[in-house]
């Protein structure tokens, strides 16, 4: 195994591809039979099988609502833990919708990497915000957390 196939290195490249909008490089990091587990109860939530489904159905649904000139993903990001083939990370990402609404998320990711490719991803985020900004559902806003209680990805 060369160092670029180590699970942490693969996930670092995953985040860097997102940050630079390198969708070709991003797609190449996934096994053809990758499984994405997207948390919550949104139009994209569930267990999705295969790179074709992710890149042909799920990702286009997300990006359909977003202004491609106002996107920033994985800025910042952080890989927290690696145990064997499993990697945990977080990122901030989003931008503006076509309507001009802000869509900025904190994402938590759990990955499994085998033979230098991502074979499974768990993605967790504010599904209420996704429903409102991406899919036009009503938004219920919770109170802001107390100062000092918020988690910072970039620190």
């Amino acid at each position: 195994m060369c160092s670029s196939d180590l699970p942490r290195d693969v996930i670092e490249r995953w985040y860097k591809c997102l940050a630079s909008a390198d969708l070709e490089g991003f797609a190449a990091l996934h096994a053809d039979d990758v499984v994405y587990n997207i948390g919550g109860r949104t139009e994209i939530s569930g267990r999705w099988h295969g790179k074709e489904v992710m890149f042909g159905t799920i990702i286009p649904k997300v990006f359909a609502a977003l202004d491609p000139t106002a996107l920033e993903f994985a800025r910042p990001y952080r890989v927290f833990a690696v145990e064997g083939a499993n990697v945990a990370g977080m990122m901030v990402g989003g931008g503006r919708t076509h309507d001009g609404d802000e869509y900025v998320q904190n994402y938590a990711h759990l990955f499994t990497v085998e033979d230098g490719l991502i074979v499974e991803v768990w993605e967790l985020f504010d599904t209420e915000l996704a429903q409102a900004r991406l899919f036009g559902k009503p938004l219920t806003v919770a109170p802001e957390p107390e100062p000092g209680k918020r988690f910072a990805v970039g620190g």
Side-chain angles (χ1 to χ4, degrees):
M1 176 187 294
C2 70
S3 65
S4 66
D5 286 344
L6 291 172
R8 180 184 193 101
D9 294 341
V10 171
I11 301 312
E12 290 278 353
R13 286 197 313 275
W14 188 89
Y15 284 118
K16 288 175 182 172
C17 284
L18 275 177
S20 65
D22 176 4
L23 293 181
E24 220 174 275
F26 181 76
L29 295 169
H30 295 83
D32 288 340
D33 60 349
V34 67
V35 175
Y36 262 78
N37 302 281
I38 301 174
R41 293 185 176 179
T42 70
E43 296 178 30
I44 60 168
S45 295
R47 187 168 171 87
W48 302 98
H49 295 265
K51 187 172 8 179
E52 188 175 304
V53 171
M54 277 308 300
F55 289 88
T57 304
I58 303 305
I59 291 174
K61 278 186 180 184
V62 171
F63 283 93
L66 298 174
D67 176 353
T69 66
L71 294 178
E72 284 193 0
F73 281 91
R75 295 183 192 170
Y77 75 88
R78 187 167 169 197
V79 173
F80 285 95
V82 180
E83 184 176 313
N86 300 306
V87 181
M90 288 186 77
M91 75 171 188
V92 175
R96 296 217 167 268
T97 66
H98 292 294
D99 296 332
D101 292 325
E102 183 176 68
Y103 179 73
V104 177
Q105 286 276 13
N106 291 305
Y107 294 89
H109 296 107
L110 303 171
F111 303 91
T112 302
V113 177
E114 294 176 357
D115 299 322
L117 295 173
I118 299 167
V119 296
E120 188 162 14
V121 179
W122 286 82
E123 183 171 80
L124 306 166
F125 53 92
D126 181 347
T127 57
E128 182 97 5
L129 180 62
Q131 281 291 83
R133 297 294 187 258
L134 301 178
F135 306 115
K137 309 293 186 203
L139 176 64
T140 306
V141 179
E144 283 288 317
E146 294 178 35
K149 304 288 184 188
R150 188 173 285 215
F151 176 80
V153 178

